[in-house]
Amino acid sequence: MQINGLELNVQQSGSGQPLVLLHGLSSDITAMQPQIDAFSEQFHVIALDSRGHGRSDRPAEYTLQDHISDVIGVMDALDLPTVFLMGSSMGSYVAQGVATRQPQRVSKLVLVTPKASGQTSSSARLLAQHAAELEGRSPEEVQAFLADKLFAPTTSTEIKAMMAESMQQHAQAGLTLTPAQYLAANRALEGFDFRDVLPQVTAKTLILSGRFDPLNSVQDGEEIARLIPDARLEVLEYSGHLPNIEEPERLHQLVLDFLRE
């Protein structure tokens, strides 16, 4: 779709109430496929590759506000006056932006492993903490290091192996960001803060945080739950930053129950 002067890759499936899905940093639609499959049985699922990611155009520079405008642009182009909106990690920041900029258009909001503010992306902060041991490593090795850190201590080696294989397939499909593209994606998340406007959210809101998330903690989720009126927080006790991989059945059930309420 041509949105805000760029070509965005958008995937639609299912029918019913529209549910927009937003992925995390350096990810894309392919990572959301299990959620697309689970939710499209009951909803009209619209998933998009954010600008700079996946099969969407990758401009040299952009901002979090651009991501927010793109989602609203897709909603406008598809003539969707109101939607359910679900975002994970970076996608949760974009979702907060949409739900505060046009609150009347989001009736239900699901924020997975979110935070309300940040001076940098959470990934950049974690990598900076381990800069000495990562010195001299290739971009692929850095990404593998980061991926391993995102899991809970209880996550099985089978799940980690599945994640590694998925990353390899992602690279083979030409979807991995170059170092320059990854830097641009990180810069888009610098210095955002929704805390002052979150009380303006009118959507019924579910927040899902991973107990062992090293990027966006349970405390980050609690902060959002205090700021959004009547928001509900659920903690996934066996997850780090990737509950869609670590506890997919639990994630799907929590979200489906909430959306069907």
Side-chain angles (χ1 to χ4, degrees), residues 204-222:
K204 294 182 179 179
T205 302
L206 174 66
I207 300 156
L208 301 175
S209 293
R211 175 64 69 189
F212 300 98
D213 191 343
L215 298 186
N216 298 337
S217 67
V218 172
Q219 288 72 33
D220 291 321
E222 290 172 342

Side-chain angles (χ1 to χ4, degrees), residues 1-62:
M1 303 179 69
Q2 289 291 329
I3 304 292
N4 296 324
L6 295 180
E7 187 170 283
L8 297 183
N9 183 39
V10 179
Q11 176 178 321
Q12 299 186 74
S13 55
S15 60
Q17 174 71 26
L19 167 62
V20 178
L21 299 184
L22 306 175
H23 61 75
L25 179 69
S26 77
S27 186
D28 53 50
I29 285 174
T30 59
M32 299 189 291
Q33 196 60 51
Q35 286 70 56
I36 294 170
D37 294 341
F39 301 147
S40 61
E41 294 180 7
Q42 300 180 43
F43 302 100
H44 170 203
V45 175
I46 303 103
L48 61 144
D49 286 339
S50 296
R51 64 168 62 203
H53 296 71
R55 292 184 171 86
S56 290
D57 284 346
R58 300 183 181 185
E61 295 181 357
Y62 50 93

Side-chain angles (χ1 to χ4, degrees), residues 194-209:
F194 293 112
R195 289 174 293 184
D196 287 345
V197 293
L198 283 179
Q200 300 172 16
V201 173
T202 59
K204 294 182 179 179
T205 302
L206 174 66
I207 300 156
L208 301 175
S209 293

Side-chain angles (χ1 to χ4, degrees), residues 74 83 139 162:
V74 169
V83 300
M162 181 179 68

Side-chain angles (χ1 to χ4, degrees), residues 149-247:
K149 289 289 184 184
L150 300 186
F151 290 111
T154 53
T155 301
S156 69
T157 54
E158 289 79 10
I159 290 177
K160 291 182 179 181
M162 181 179 68
M163 176 68 169
E165 182 180 355
S166 176
M167 290 176 65
Q168 186 175 17
Q169 293 173 348
H170 197 250
Q172 291 171 346
L175 297 174
T176 303
L177 305 189
T178 67
Q181 291 166 348
Y182 184 68
L183 181 61
N186 272 277
R187 283 178 172 163
L189 306 183
E190 292 178 350
F192 74 91
D193 194 340
F194 293 112
R195 289 174 293 184
D196 287 345
V197 293
L198 283 179
Q200 300 172 16
V201 173
T202 59
K204 294 182 179 179
T205 302
L206 174 66
I207 300 156
L208 301 175
S209 293
R211 175 64 69 189
F212 300 98
D213 191 343
L215 298 186
N216 298 337
S217 67
V218 172
Q219 288 72 33
D220 291 321
E222 290 172 342
E223 179 178 48
I224 297 173
R226 288 193 300 269
L227 293 170
I228 295 179
D230 302 317
R232 186 170 91 236
L233 171 68
E234 294 280 353
V235 179
L236 290 99
E237 297 292 344
Y238 305 101
S239 289
H241 193 64
L242 303 170
N244 60 311
I245 297 173
E246 297 171 281
E247 294 185 75

